Amino acid sequence: MKKRIMISIMLMMVSVLSFSQKITDDFSGKWKTSEGKVILITKSGNAFTGAIEESKETIIENVHFTDGQWKGKIFKPGSSTKADCELVMQDNKLTITARKMTFSKTIVWIKL
């Protein structure tokens, strides 16, 4: 019984470490939203900024690595509404969790 518990704990630790965010993550490039818009993310210094390719409207800004996570601001297209966000990149998917007050929304962009 103890052996099974130890194996389970070790497997959980390995899975957490394998999906952890890294300061070396590079979000640069083109990403497609679920609405079909293309977002161009660029790096300036240690931070990333993303804009809708066709309108040049900024949609994410000041994404930087702090406390083991990628954090920044995300804007609702066509409005001045903004929220804090966390970004996690895994393979060709970028998962963005936006938080404003007690509400949160998770969106996924696909690398082009």
Side-chain angles (χ1 to χ4, degrees):
M1 183 67 163
K2 287 182 183 181
K3 188 175 181 179
R4 286 185 186 183
I5 292 172
M6 290 301 294
I7 290 173
S8 296
I9 290 171
M10 288 174 48
L11 287 174
M12 284 189 287
M13 289 175 61
V14 167
S15 67
V16 166
L17 291 175
S18 65
F19 294 113
S20 64
Q21 298 177 61
K22 302 175 287 305
I23 196 166
T24 56
D25 288 342
D26 187 359
F27 304 109
S28 299
K30 293 182 179 183
W31 298 85
K32 188 173 186 177
T33 68
S34 59
E35 294 86 20
K37 295 183 184 205
V38 176
I39 309 299
L40 177 61
I41 297 179
T42 57
K43 185 175 185 179
S44 178
N46 292 325
F48 292 91
T49 299
I52 300 172
E53 190 173 46
E54 64 184 34
S55 68
K56 309 294 187 224
E57 180 182 7
T58 299
I59 193 164
I60 61 170
E61 71 176 10
N62 197 27
V63 175
H64 58 281
F65 195 77
T66 183
D67 298 329
Q69 296 179 322
W70 284 100
K71 297 179 181 182
K73 298 285 183 189
I74 188 164
F75 297 85
K76 184 176 181 180
S79 123
S80 61
T81 303
K82 67 180 176 179
D84 294 325
C85 67
E86 293 178 12
L87 291 80
V88 176
M89 186 171 61
Q90 186 178 4
D91 299 324
N92 68 334
K93 292 183 181 180
L94 182 60
T95 303
I96 304 168
T97 304
R99 290 187 175 81
K100 187 164 185 159
M101 296 187 306
T102 59
F103 301 100
S104 70
K105 180 178 181 178
T106 301
I107 55 177
V108 178
W109 295 348
I110 305 296
K111 181 87 173 192
L112 294 179

